[in-house]
Amino acid sequence: MLAGAGALTLALTGGMAGLAGTAQAAVKTTPVYVKCDAPAPQPDAEGNQDFTVTLPDGAKAGDTVPITIDPGLSPIVPMFTIDTVNTMKAKLFVGGQAQTVTSAAIPSHQEGGVKADPPAFSGTIKIPDGTEGTTVQVTLDQFVTDADIGGTVYTTSCTPSPRPSAPVGSVAVAALPKEPVTTKITPNSGKAGTVVAVTGANFPAGPVTCSASLAGTATGDTGTGSADASGAATCSLTVTKKADAIRIDGSTGAAKAFVFVEDQPGVKNPVDVEVLPGPLAIGPKDGFPASDWGKVTINGKSQSVVGQFNAVTVQDFRGGSLGWDVTATRTPFLNEATGHSMAKAQIGIQPSCTVTNPDSPSTCTAGAPGAITDSPMKVASQAAGGDQLTGGEFSVGGAGMIQLPPFAFADTYQSVVTFSVA
């Protein structure tokens, strides 16, 4: 029996998928020797898998570019003929930075005794900052396939040997700076006559101009400034008429919002309201009751049981721009009454994270699947917002699996999984 103070999941992995790209991009096929860990009773497998990756020939540092992965035949030979819905995750290193490309949920029909042949899928990767004038190498760190069978997810992971793999693709990074962007305006509100300082990044050194707009149309208010050798730009603009956005001219992306305060005639009656920060909390406060993940009968072989973690709630009411991480830890599998333990039992999680309040200013990101141990494992996170507001209400949980050893005392065992937020 498994008790959870948060959400718990075991992720076993097998079949791998490959990368592919756009028609105009460079295509490279690389044989990668992989070792695949499949959920019982499917046997593990290893061997070469040909990954075909398509990437653009070139990009700028900071660009998000398309990638397509075509994995080719997997060394996994399924034992059964079965219909599943598969989600594939290619864990990559892009110029040394960890990134993951995830497929859509794809219906799959697999014949028993025939090598798995996962389809190609596409996504995006980000070219790391600071790589101007270099060639960024893309290597494969792990390939994960989540197979949904009737609502239960079985995970197969394939790991290159050596890990990570040799480069499966590359992108030449232009020696040019990144696209110029407007980063901040100060103040971001005011009435006619307000002087606004506008800052930006990645501009060519020299003079710059800035401008105000209303509903996308220029108001005629403009200003001047300059950018230094590092690309940092500063511009000053005086607002004389109603505007809702201000930017440094030539910048890409959205302009920064400005709230125009119109002067009303009559008697002034100022109204102040103070908004106090709330907590960063995880619940329910008293945890969950123990959950029963089923029974197995000793047969001399490793066996697995699957279950679903109760979803914990995360509330970020701090009213700032901070982020958070949810981590999971567990205690050993024990029966405290009898003193029996299962030291070799493993438990893992396929994390999920969803926004439960549609007014939440932030999104959340689920962590990578893996084993839960006594060391904190990140299962979900919210990124810090910089100058932008963060926070909201979220649900963190996931599917889980317990892998049991071939032999153990016949008994009822319990592990307590604890979710924490910081």
Side-chain angles (χ1 to χ4, degrees), residues 148-162:
D148 187 324
I149 305 174
T152 299
V153 176
Y154 298 88
T155 303
T156 299
S157 60
C158 293
T159 304
S161 181

Side-chain angles (χ1 to χ4, degrees), residues 52-94:
T52 300
V53 176
T54 307
L55 284 164
D57 287 322
K60 290 183 179 180
D63 280 356
T64 297
V65 300
I67 183 172
T68 303
I69 304 169
D70 187 349
L73 290 175
S74 167
I76 294 284
V77 181
M79 300 171 62
F80 312 107
T81 298
I82 195 167
D83 290 306
T84 61
V85 177
N86 293 348
T87 302
M88 297 170 288
K89 300 174 185 175
K91 298 181 180 182
L92 309 172
F93 284 114
V94 181

Side-chain angles (χ1 to χ4, degrees), residues 286-313:
D286 297 324
F288 294 107
S291 57
D292 188 347
W293 281 32
K295 303 176 177 65
V296 295
T297 301
I298 297 170
N299 63 5
K301 296 181 176 61
S302 296
Q303 300 183 75
S304 300
V305 294
V306 296
Q308 188 74 27
F309 291 105
N310 295 315
V312 302
T313 60

